[in-house]
Amino acid sequence: MNTNIENIGRNHSSGQWENNKIGQILLGLGKLNEEQVQDILALQESQELTFGAAAQKLNLVTNQDIDEAIAQQFNYAILAPGADGFSDEIHVAYKPFGAEAEAIRVLRSRLLLGCLEQGRRAITIMSPNKRSGATYLTVNLAISFAQLGLKACLIDANLREPRIANVFGLKNRTPGLSDVLLGQHGVEEVVLRNLFPNLGVIPSGRRPPNPQELLGRHELVWMLSQLLSDFDVILFDTPAMNTTADARTVAARVGTALLVARQHKTLAPDIETATSELAAGDIELVGTVLNKY
């Protein structure tokens, strides 16, 4: 497992504090020493503050330090700043208690109830046009499912302008989806499982000259069936619908789609056109997300 992931549940002995208490965790992380903890406890008692509030009032820890300790206390995987060159747009892991992460968790809950519990465990994330934030949403949603303890698989099905490799600091030539569809690699060979707990990532692979034809092959259906036997939820990131038919091709194979529009950018006619195209292709639209981040 990535050593920069604050994956939680480690126990540090610290004298009078019980395992996984905030003070004890901060001691174990090297954020505080015994004398500082005593000062915090004294202020905590005199002013009836939480341990974290008292520590911050004394300027001994940062918000990030407290977030890491809370995550560890509740066995919640997050990312430490600068972890292995991961993109800072992974808000549910870098800023797990912020407004953006909370919005992702709300969406996750709705998909759990409306899709996963109904047996629809594979979803194509689509957008009517570019720069709608579809990749941002797909990545954060996949990690959010993984943080819940579900086995999540994130697939970069954008074979023209892939971004997933960059988000996770991977080499662009990492084998992936296109290599499986071409029969040059097996599914298990391209699933990266050591990037984040409970998460599998399949990059786009080599850029082919015929992405739409490749995505339309029956091999994608076979690959999906293999992954569904191993993962609880599978999310496909796809290119914008107004630039290529690739996203619709993938969605037709998967059967379900989540549409992403950006606030103040995506026009209502764009959403209507995308919705009509999905209906014409007998693709179930499980929801539309208005992205304001």
Side-chain angles (χ1 to χ4, degrees):
M1 183 181 295
N2 191 306
T3 56
N4 285 320
I5 292 174
E6 304 300 332
N7 192 23
I8 318 307
R10 294 171 295 186
N11 293 323
H12 309 281
S13 59
S14 59
Q16 60 183 307
W17 297 285
E18 298 177 6
N19 284 341
N20 284 340
K21 296 299 184 181
I22 295 296
Q24 179 258 340
I25 293 172
L26 289 169
L27 273 172
L29 292 173
K31 306 293 184 179
L32 297 172
N33 57 41
E34 294 279 354
E35 182 179 353
Q36 290 171 326
V37 171
Q38 294 292 349
D39 291 340
I40 294 168
L41 289 173
L43 181 62
Q44 179 184 10
E45 183 177 357
S46 65
Q47 297 191 14
E48 297 184 352
L49 301 171
T50 65
F51 185 92
Q56 287 182 295
K57 192 167 186 178
L58 291 172
N59 295 318
L60 294 176
V61 295
T62 65
N63 285 329
Q64 178 66 33
D65 296 332
I66 296 298
D67 286 351
E68 290 181 27
I70 292 173
Q72 192 165 129
Q73 188 178 38
F74 288 94
N75 198 32
Y76 195 69
I78 65 173
L79 287 170
D84 280 1
F86 287 5
S87 169
D88 59 7
E89 65 188 286
I90 310 177
H91 285 104
V92 293
Y94 281 119
K95 300 176 181 179
F97 308 111
E100 295 178 38
E102 184 59 30
I104 294 292
R105 286 192 287 270
V106 170
L107 174 61
R108 179 189 67 188
S109 296
R110 292 176 178 173
L111 290 174
L112 276 170
L113 295 174
C115 293
L116 272 66
E117 290 192 0
Q118 307 301 320
R120 292 164 293 182
R121 297 187 290 121
I123 304 173
T124 310
I125 311 297
M126 310 174 69
S127 58
N129 41 37
K130 285 187 175 183
R131 290 179 287 279
S132 296
T135 299
Y136 158 83
L137 181 71
T138 309
V139 170
N140 280 276
L141 190 56
I143 291 182
S144 180
F145 278 119
Q147 288 173 322
L148 192 62
L150 297 177
K151 293 182 66 178
C153 185
L154 170 63
I155 302 176
D156 192 345
N158 187 342
L159 303 185
R160 300 173 189 265
E161 297 179 333
R163 288 195 59 232
I164 300 299
N166 289 336
V167 170
F168 288 96
L170 303 171
K171 295 180 180 179
N172 287 329
R173 295 185 64 83
T174 303
L177 176 60
S178 63
D179 301 281
V180 175
L181 298 180
L182 285 168
Q184 297 179 351
H185 285 274
V187 177
E188 187 56 38
E189 293 178 305
V190 301
V191 180
L192 304 177
R193 298 177 182 267
N194 63 342
L195 299 174
F196 195 86
N198 298 320
L199 179 71
V201 175
I202 299 180
S204 62
R206 292 183 300 166
R207 295 192 189 186
N210 57 338
Q212 187 176 338
E213 291 78 9
L214 198 59
L215 292 168
R217 290 185 176 183
H218 185 73
E219 280 80 1
L220 183 61
V221 178
W222 172 83
M223 176 182 177
L224 180 58
S225 68
Q226 296 295 306
L227 293 171
L228 284 171
S229 66
D230 189 21
F231 290 94
D232 299 309
V233 57
I234 300 171
L235 301 180
F236 289 82
D237 184 42
T238 60
M241 296 176 68
N242 69 340
T243 60
T244 171
D246 294 4
R248 292 187 292 278
T249 301
V250 174
R253 295 297 194 185
V254 175
T256 56
L258 178 69
L259 198 61
V260 183
R262 182 178 288 280
Q263 188 176 29
H264 305 312
K265 178 175 176 59
T266 307
L267 301 178
D270 296 332
I271 299 176
E272 292 173 0
T273 299
T275 302
S276 298
E277 290 179 357
L278 292 174
D282 199 24
I283 300 164
E284 181 182 6
L285 179 61
V286 298
T288 301
V289 178
L290 184 62
N291 176 27
K292 66 178 183 179
Y293 298 111

